[in-house]
Amino acid sequence: SAVISQKPSRDICQRGTSLTIQCQVDSQVTMMFWYRQQPGQSLTLIATANQGSEATYESGFVIDKFPISRPNLTFSTLTVSNMSPEDSSIYLCSVAPGVANEKLFFGSGTQLSVL
Amino acid sequence: KQEVTQIPAALSVPEGENLVLNCSFTDSAIYNLQWFRQDPGKGLTSLLLIQSSQREQTSGRLNASLDKSSGRSTLYIAASQPGDSATYLCAVTGTASKLTFGTGTRLQVTL
């Protein structure tokens, strides 16, 4: 298993500003992912955070809006840039500790509200 | 494109009842299917994972089945308790460990 610490747990931000969300894992993991859950919706994958290289973004998500860093196998950040009220969502970090296609573990999420 | 649907969207049952949550997916080319529980402010907790070659998995009062060919899974909860109240999400794993989530079933177990 993996223990994931995600910060901040919640924030209220002004339109046009940026917020960086941190995800720290207690062990080295092969894969890290960032998901978004808009109000009343299910989870949507934003990107796969790749260690030492640029993240792989899903359709509809771009690096300029959601820059991601992954400097090592235990840490990643997601930045929500130039925020608008439409960015109000829960953002979740997820990790796959071992081999591909096994159980994923999730952080507790960041509740973001943009005014 | 994979689509995952869950029925019902919401469910309220009295304590002690057995219940079934349904999940369907459009593309049967999956590696596995997971059932998660989501509590407000606590992220997601993985309940059960069924590999594509398996038919079912059990954990305590929970039993999940998978019929890959028909694109269906069910989560059976026996003897429901108020502590089971949460949103239940199913998700299928495609390539590169990417999950596609269902729309969720919001469960309330009343006293």
Side-chain angles (χ1 to χ4, degrees), chain A residues 37 42 58 101-102 104 108, chain B residues 32 38 51 97-98 101-102:
Chain A
Q37 186 176 30
S42 194
E58 297 300 305
N101 306 318
E102 288 297 323
L104 293 194
S108 56
Chain B
N32 59 49
Q38 185 174 28
Q51 299 292 352
S97 297
K98 295 179 183 179
F101 280 85

Side-chain angles (χ1 to χ4, degrees), chain A residues 7-24:
Chain A
K7 298 178 181 179
S9 59
R10 60 176 60 239
D11 207 342
I12 301 173
C13 300
Q14 296 296 321
R15 180 195 300 261
T17 62
S18 298
L19 175 71
T20 295
I21 302 168
Q22 298 181 0
C23 179
Q24 178 73 56

Side-chain angles (χ1 to χ4, degrees), chain B residues 28-48:
Chain B
S28 62
I30 63 171
Y31 287 96
N32 59 49
L33 182 145
Q34 293 185 65
W35 282 94
F36 293 89
R37 168 182 174 142
Q38 185 174 28
D39 295 279
K42 294 185 179 181
L44 274 69
T45 302
S46 180
L47 299 172
L48 290 165

Side-chain angles (χ1 to χ4, degrees), chain A residues 2-102:
Chain A
V3 177
I4 304 169
S5 174
Q6 189 173 334
K7 298 178 181 179
S9 59
R10 60 176 60 239
D11 207 342
I12 301 173
C13 300
Q14 296 296 321
R15 180 195 300 261
T17 62
S18 298
L19 175 71
T20 295
I21 302 168
Q22 298 181 0
C23 179
Q24 178 73 56
V25 192
D26 67 343
S27 59
Q28 293 186 344
V29 294
T30 54
M31 306 189 79
M32 297 181 77
F33 306 92
W34 288 98
Y35 285 83
R36 179 177 74 180
Q37 186 176 30
Q38 294 178 297
Q41 304 294 316
S42 194
L43 280 77
T44 301
L45 179 63
I46 298 172
T48 302
N50 301 309
Q51 193 265 327
S53 64
E54 196 171 281
T56 305
Y57 290 84
E58 297 300 305
S59 175
F61 298 95
V62 295
I63 187 171
D64 290 345
K65 178 65 176 177
F66 297 102
I68 289 171
S69 78
R70 191 176 175 194
N72 56 53
L73 294 177
T74 64
F75 185 77
S76 178
T77 66
L78 169 74
T79 299
V80 186
S81 302
N82 188 25
M83 289 183 284
S84 67
E86 292 71 34
D87 294 319
S88 298
S89 296
I90 299 173
Y91 293 85
L92 295 112
C93 168
S94 174
V95 304
V99 298
N101 306 318
E102 288 297 323

Side-chain angles (χ1 to χ4, degrees), chain B residues 17-111:
Chain B
E17 272 204 10
N18 303 324
L19 57 102
V20 175
L21 308 181
N22 297 290
C23 172
S24 61
F25 47 96
T26 56
D27 185 352
S28 62
I30 63 171
Y31 287 96
N32 59 49
L33 182 145
Q34 293 185 65
W35 282 94
F36 293 89
R37 168 182 174 142
Q38 185 174 28
D39 295 279
K42 294 185 179 181
L44 274 69
T45 302
S46 180
L47 299 172
L48 290 165
L49 179 149
I50 310 176
Q51 299 292 352
S52 62
S53 59
Q54 297 176 323
R55 298 283 294 182
E56 66 177 337
Q57 281 288 326
T58 298
S59 176
R61 294 183 293 109
L62 305 179
N63 176 275
S65 68
L66 174 63
D67 185 341
K68 183 181 169 185
S69 61
S70 67
R72 295 180 181 180
S73 176
T74 61
L75 178 66
Y76 175 83
I77 303 177
S80 59
Q81 303 171 358
D84 295 330
S85 299
T87 296
Y88 290 80
L89 297 164
C90 72
V92 295
T93 302
T95 57
S97 297
K98 295 179 183 179
L99 266 60
T100 301
F101 280 85
T103 46
T105 294
R106 190 169 63 255
L107 172 66
Q108 182 173 10
V109 180
T110 58
L111 291 170

